[in-house]
Amino acid sequence: MNVLFIEDDRMNRRVVRDMLDVAGANMAEAENAELGLEMIDRGEYHMILIDLRMPGMDGITAIRHIRARGDEKAEVPIIVVTADSGVDLRERCLSAGADDVIVKPVAMDQLFEAMGRILAGDRGGAIIG
């Protein structure tokens, strides 16, 4: 499984990479949304993990760009991984096109539960955290 993690914090990327390594997944990483969108153009990913707050383009805007594509890459599952915890967080993420939301700090069981649920076809967007 190829996963793209779009996250500006290097330590957060490393923690998630270590978790995905346990599952045998390959993780590509982008330190900002613009680079992430370029990587989606060039690569094939089975799932995208994305932070909301990054320098430059934010995660919500990036999700909208991904979903607006006119190709199969617009349908790749997206999980928001964020430290945000606002009242309308779930609604904002889902309306932008996210499939699920995980609140940092990310725990391995939470990440795998969200990924498994989405891969099983449940793209209902529960907040985990």
Side-chain angles (χ1 to χ4, degrees):
M1 172 180 235
N2 293 322
V3 177
L4 173 61
F5 189 20
I6 305 171
E7 161 71 67
D8 61 316
D9 185 276
R10 183 172 17 125
M11 184 56 71
N12 287 335
R13 292 192 312 263
R14 181 175 177 180
V15 167
V16 171
R17 175 183 294 282
D18 289 347
M19 290 178 191
L20 292 174
D21 282 350
V22 169
N26 299 311
M27 188 185 101
E29 54 189 78
E31 61 193 32
N32 60 58
E34 293 85 356
L35 177 58
L37 293 175
E38 290 175 18
M39 291 176 70
I40 292 166
D41 285 339
R42 296 188 312 256
E44 295 295 326
Y45 302 101
H46 301 103
M47 188 165 294
I48 298 168
L49 308 176
I50 188 167
D51 187 20
L52 291 183
R53 293 187 186 196
M54 295 176 280
M57 183 186 301
D58 68 15
I60 293 286
T61 303
I63 293 167
R64 288 185 177 131
H65 279 282
I66 295 165
R67 294 301 187 222
R69 296 177 62 100
D71 59 16
E72 70 280 350
K73 293 179 181 185
E75 299 301 319
V76 172
I78 299 173
I79 299 175
V80 171
V81 180
T82 184
D84 289 356
S85 60
V87 176
D88 65 340
L89 173 67
R90 179 178 187 273
E91 291 78 19
R92 287 187 306 120
C93 293
L94 293 179
S95 69
D99 296 292
D100 213 334
V101 179
I102 299 173
V103 178
K104 294 175 189 172
V106 178
M108 188 180 310
D109 61 333
Q110 294 171 333
L111 177 61
F112 291 170
E113 179 184 332
M115 292 174 72
R117 190 173 43 253
I118 290 169
L119 293 173
D122 178 6
R123 294 171 91 166
I127 290 184
I128 300 173

